[in-house]
Amino acid sequence: MSPREFAIEVVKKLQLAGYQALWAGGCVRDQLAGRIPKDYDVATNATPEQVREVFGRKRTLPIGVSFGVITVLGPQRVEPIEVATFRRDGGYSDGRHPDSVEFTDAREDALRRDFTINGMFFDPLTKQVHDYVGGREDLAARKIRAIGNPHLRIDEDKLRMLRAVRFASTFEFEIEPQTMSAIRSHAAEINLVSGERIGTEMRKMLGSPHRAVAVRLLRKSGLLTELVPEGRSWNEQSQHWEPMVAKLERLEGDFECAAAILLEPIIERFGIGMMFERWKLSNQERKSINWISQNWRKLDRAEQVAWSQIQPLLVQADAERALAVAASQAAEPSRGVVFCRKRLAWPSDLLDPRPLLDGGDLIKLGIKSGPRYAQILGAVRNAQLDGEIDSVEQARSMAKKLSG
Ligand code: ATP
Ligand code: MG
């Protein structure tokens, strides 16, 4: 069963039990725009308890039950589907989460959603769209428009500012002027949103091929200086800004590559630690972004230095990423990048030949162990990589000479 078939199944079961049930939100938007939805959400007038009765306790999880969301488990290898009872949100006193929710009907459930294109329902059995917010029109006009009063909607939940920029950039839509103006006036409040949520949005925006558009919109809306207040050089020096955006435009790489480009002046001055904390990056992301930042320049000039200086970099996991960053620096990839890419295509025994000697060999040669071992082995390895020696014999005599 495909995810789509399962999503139809869930709606059918609820409808057969006498409830109203519809696909809701992002999946309706994607489907109407001709994209394949990533996942399907179902909205219903059944209460969470009734949803559990329809599907059985064993096939449901009450993870989000406080907002009226029940997770319905699919058949093997099919993602679960979230079934949410139509709701209206109570007040928002923390600028992010509703204080309470009340169950209601489809129309009110549409009104609590963020943007018109995200506020539609679809009945997969009758193929009918239920559009209470003008979503279809805005989807056709490629507009991100807040549902209701943009100031109030953004004031309720500041995360919506980043969602607007993300949807506008990834779909190549325009943020409707009043929604944009509300974002500008609330931009300073973006840091009320948790680092995790900001990080998740930044990961999606910078991970997308439309990242340059996202970054332009973040700057235009005033969000960028709030997200990275140290990034003065972006805002005050156009000689830095335009080249940076051009690099993001050329980049063929992932989030880590884009973050290394965007945050370059920040990482140079303050290190990666600050952004790691702020966006709650994973340790792996932190390591990669840092490695890319420290090494792409060396790869960019690889043809000018000894192979033994480049090879240890190219065999690292993030070499491809650092090369993507180096390649984004100019319209044409540098000689260094071309050189590295050719070498990366080498068979692995040529790219990363087995060392001629190891510590055990030094012991057998009667060389006294100590910190010099690493130096000797390093020098022998470099000579091997640079083609100065190519046999174990030569390696041994070199080691002896170095130890003498
Ligand atoms: P994506 O393709 O990124 O998953 P999506 O629109 O499906 O986009 P989700 O975060 O999965 O986004 O949320 C599903 C739906 O829930 C949205 O389409 C929207 O109707 C509603 N929604 C999500 N987040 C918010 C929010 N912060 N404020 C109001 N409504 C929201
Ligand atoms: Mg979604």
Side-chain angles (χ1 to χ4, degrees):
M1 191 185 274
S2 70
R4 185 184 179 83
E5 284 163 344
F6 178 48
I8 296 174
E9 189 64 33
V10 169
V11 165
K12 209 184 265 174
K13 262 204 150 139
L14 284 161
Q15 291 192 0
L16 278 176
Y19 301 109
Q20 193 186 6
L22 300 162
W23 287 356
C27 63
V28 178
R29 172 200 71 212
D30 289 347
Q31 134 125 0
L32 294 178
R35 279 186 300 268
I36 296 179
K38 279 202 306 278
D39 45 33
Y40 295 83
D41 294 314
V42 169
T44 181
N45 65 351
T47 62
E49 198 42 51
Q50 289 166 332
V51 173
R52 292 201 82 182
E53 268 163 33
V54 169
F55 295 95
R57 302 226 140 222
K58 279 195 194 142
R59 283 190 55 204
T60 53
L61 303 173
I63 306 172
V65 72
S66 57
F67 318 99
V69 181
I70 293 291
T71 302
V72 179
L73 301 174
Q76 267 204 336
R77 282 196 294 275
V78 177
E79 287 290 302
I81 284 188
E82 294 193 339
V83 177
T85 305
F86 296 136
R87 67 178 196 252
R88 158 192 338 134
D89 294 332
Y92 285 78
S93 46
D94 66 352
R96 175 71 193 99
H97 306 98
D99 301 330
S100 62
V101 304
E102 270 172 80
F103 299 140
T104 166
D105 57 13
R107 202 185 73 86
E108 277 197 296
D109 187 74
L111 297 182
R112 69 154 179 101
R113 294 171 183 268
D114 50 4
F115 305 109
T116 57
I117 60 164
N118 290 347
M120 292 179 280
F121 301 102
F122 179 72
D123 184 330
L125 305 175
T126 64
K127 310 268 185 263
Q128 200 190 347
V129 178
H130 299 240
D131 180 7
Y132 302 100
V133 295
R136 250 181 308 194
E137 210 174 297
D138 284 336
L139 194 62
R142 309 174 73 85
K143 286 205 162 87
I144 306 296
R145 182 196 308 275
I147 296 174
N149 179 322
H151 276 280
L152 297 180
R153 301 312 311 285
I154 284 168
D155 200 30
E156 281 172 359
D157 177 359
K158 325 290 181 188
L159 180 67
R160 291 172 187 158
M161 297 192 274
L162 286 181
R163 288 174 57 88
V165 171
R166 170 162 64 89
F167 292 126
S169 59
T170 52
F171 303 151
E172 300 184 69
F173 280 20
E174 179 205 356
I175 301 179
E176 169 278 323
Q178 282 175 317
T179 302
M180 186 63 169
S181 119
I183 295 177
R184 279 174 193 267
S185 50
H186 289 279
E189 295 148 37
I190 192 61
N191 290 311
L192 288 176
V193 176
S194 73
E196 284 85 355
R197 298 307 301 260
I198 293 180
T200 301
E201 290 297 325
M202 294 310 294
R203 210 171 268 122
K204 288 183 184 172
M205 277 188 244
L206 293 179
S208 140
H210 297 99
R211 53 182 66 100
V213 180
V215 166
R216 280 188 208 283
L217 276 174
L218 286 176
R219 186 187 192 213
K220 192 172 148 206
S221 60
L223 287 165
L224 193 60
T225 36
E226 302 298 333
L227 294 167
V228 193
E230 300 78 10
R232 283 218 194 89
S233 53
W234 294 324
N235 294 303
E236 287 168 10
Q237 304 169 18
S238 57
Q239 79 266 27
H240 178 79
W241 173 259
E242 283 305 329
M244 190 274 289
V245 177
K247 289 173 203 172
L248 290 178
E249 255 154 22
R250 287 186 292 258
L251 175 67
E252 287 179 44
D254 57 10
F255 164 68
E256 285 83 346
C257 299
I261 293 173
L262 175 72
L263 301 174
E264 184 176 283
I266 316 296
I267 296 174
E268 272 174 8
R269 268 186 72 191
F270 305 97
I272 179 83
M274 190 174 69
M275 295 312 299
F276 167 74
E277 276 302 318
R278 201 176 268 162
W279 290 354
K280 304 292 176 212
L281 300 175
S282 70
N283 288 319
Q284 193 55 54
E285 287 167 335
R286 172 193 184 132
K287 226 178 107 214
S288 292
I289 296 169
N290 207 31
W291 195 91
I292 298 167
S293 305
Q294 288 179 350
N295 292 291
W296 72 261
R297 280 190 189 79
K298 289 179 209 152
L299 298 184
D300 205 30
R301 290 192 293 264
E303 88 292 1
Q304 300 170 25
V305 289
W307 174 233
S308 58
Q309 301 305 299
I310 297 303
Q311 189 272 355
L313 302 178
L314 284 189
V315 298
Q316 297 296 313
D318 290 309
E320 296 270 10
R321 286 184 168 131
L323 276 177
V325 169
S328 76
Q329 301 296 310
E332 292 293 323
S334 65
R335 285 189 203 178
V337 170
V338 173
F339 170 86
C340 289
R341 287 193 167 147
K342 275 195 194 135
R343 291 286 163 112
L344 269 184
W346 273 8
S348 64
D349 54 339
L350 207 59
L351 176 66
D352 195 16
R354 275 186 50 169
L356 295 168
L357 292 187
D358 61 21
D361 298 316
L362 298 191
I363 296 174
K364 279 185 220 148
L365 288 170
I367 300 171
K368 249 183 47 202
S369 64
R372 279 165 68 228
Y373 264 40
Q375 283 168 15
I376 295 171
L377 290 175
V380 171
R381 175 67 171 167
N382 287 350
Q384 175 192 9
L385 289 172
D386 290 334
E388 291 155 14
I389 59 173
D390 64 1
S391 71
V392 176
E393 270 319 300
Q394 288 171 312
R396 286 199 186 118
S397 68
M398 181 174 173
K400 270 193 230 156
K401 237 181 254 163
L402 287 170
S403 71

